[in-house]
């Protein structure tokens, strides 16, 4: 019920879907294209930063605030399929290089990336 309420509130406010703090940290690990290479639609968050698919409030995944050129902050968004695909790639790289993961110790990034890669951003 809480997620539905947050989604309705985001829709009414004209925002994209909300995310948990673990999901937000996993989303921050996803590499973005260079801001200078983004189209106007991508820079405004109207299109996916990776595949250029047009986004709506329902389909957009907010990738969080990111630094842009000349001190300008950008607010990129992506589509679910690109987020899942990239999260899976980053997950494989992460578990092969993270000291905690290599020692099979708890790692919040591993858990968040695995969740994002398997379920996508909700």
């Amino acid at each position: 019920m809480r997620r539905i309420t947050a989604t309705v509130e985001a829709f009414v406010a004209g925002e994209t879907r909300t995310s948990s703090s673990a999901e937000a940290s996993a989303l921050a690990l996803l590499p973005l294209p260079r801001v200078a290479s983004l189209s106007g639609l991508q820079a405004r968050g109207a299109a996916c930063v990776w595949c250029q698919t047009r986004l709506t409030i329902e389909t957009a995944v907010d990738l969080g605030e990111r630094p842009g050129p000349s001190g300008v902050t950008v607010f990129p968004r992506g589509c679910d399929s690109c987020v899942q695909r990239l999260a899976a790639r980053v997950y494989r790289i992460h578990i092969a290089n993270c000291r905690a993961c290599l020692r099979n110790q708890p790692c919040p990034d591993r858990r968040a990336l695995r969740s994002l890669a398997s379920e996508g951003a909700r």
Side-chain angles (χ1 to χ4, degrees), residues 55-95:
L55 300 171
T56 65
I57 291 171
E58 295 84 17
T59 62
V61 177
D62 184 0
L63 300 171
E65 183 177 316
R66 306 283 179 105
S70 306
V72 175
T73 302
V74 295
F75 300 89
R77 300 188 321 167
C79 67
D80 271 329
S81 61
C82 285
V83 167
Q84 274 189 287
R85 182 180 43 78
L86 215 52
R89 191 173 109 213
V90 172
Y91 171 77
R92 288 189 301 273
I93 293 167
H94 175 83
I95 62 172

Side-chain angles (χ1 to χ4, degrees), residues 5 7 9 14 26 30-31 40-41 52-53 60 65 68 70 74 83 89 94 109-110 112-114 117 120 122:
T5 303
T7 302
E9 288 171 356
L30 303 182
L41 289 174
Q52 299 183 20
T53 297
E65 183 177 316
S70 306
V74 295
V83 167
R89 191 173 109 213
H94 175 83
D109 289 339
R110 173 181 60 204
L113 283 167
R114 181 176 47 213
R122 293 185 197 192

